[in-house]
Amino acid sequence: MRNPARPPVFWGLVGLLTLELLAASVIALVLLFDLVAAEPASLASAIALTVLVLLAVAWMAATIVGLLRGQAWTRASAIVWQVLQFAIGLGALQGSFAQPAWGWPILIVSVLTFAVLFLPPVVKATTGRAARD
């Protein structure tokens, strides 16, 4: 069997990563709109933040496409993204401008996705061996 059926938990991972991609895409659109429609306090900072979020969107899209194609590098990419996303969520819970309304959901999704990435069926489906067998 060249392309064995992927386990349901694999599709759960794809769904979680797609949810994260959609959220990052919405943030990118809001930042782009604000960059054009509002006057930022620091234009350089606003442009840099927008570019970083657009890069994150591209990264997540590439990871999802690679995952669907069975490329082995995607698991490492998704793990790195979860660590970065966890740091963003944790930062959202701290300081004088804390935003727990969106910090907690980021943390929860990040931890859940990180855990799914280490489930044995997902590890097997993302090692690249399944596509070569």
Side-chain angles (χ1 to χ4, degrees):
M1 185 174 199
R2 287 199 177 253
N3 290 320
R6 293 175 172 156
V9 71
F10 173 87
W11 295 109
L13 173 63
V14 171
L16 286 168
L17 291 174
T18 302
L19 176 68
E20 294 172 357
L21 173 62
L22 292 173
S25 298
V26 168
I27 292 168
L29 289 173
V30 168
L31 288 172
L32 283 169
F33 179 78
D34 283 350
L35 194 60
V36 173
E39 186 177 333
S42 170
L43 182 61
S45 294
I47 291 172
L49 181 59
T50 303
V51 168
L52 284 174
V53 174
L54 289 171
L55 286 171
V57 167
W59 176 7
M60 288 305 300
T63 300
I64 293 168
V65 169
L67 189 63
L68 293 173
R69 290 182 178 171
Q71 297 174 337
W73 62 267
T74 57
R75 189 164 162 268
S77 175
I79 289 169
V80 169
W81 177 253
Q82 298 316 307
V83 171
L84 292 173
Q85 186 173 270
F86 184 85
I88 292 167
L90 196 60
L93 297 176
Q94 301 174 4
S96 58
F97 298 107
Q99 295 292 324
W102 57 270
W104 281 113
I106 290 172
L107 283 176
I108 292 166
V109 170
S110 181
V111 168
L112 178 63
T113 306
F114 191 83
V116 169
L117 283 161
F118 286 96
L119 293 174
V122 170
V123 172
K124 184 177 178 187
T126 58
T127 56
R129 290 185 209 127
R132 291 189 299 260
D133 290 342

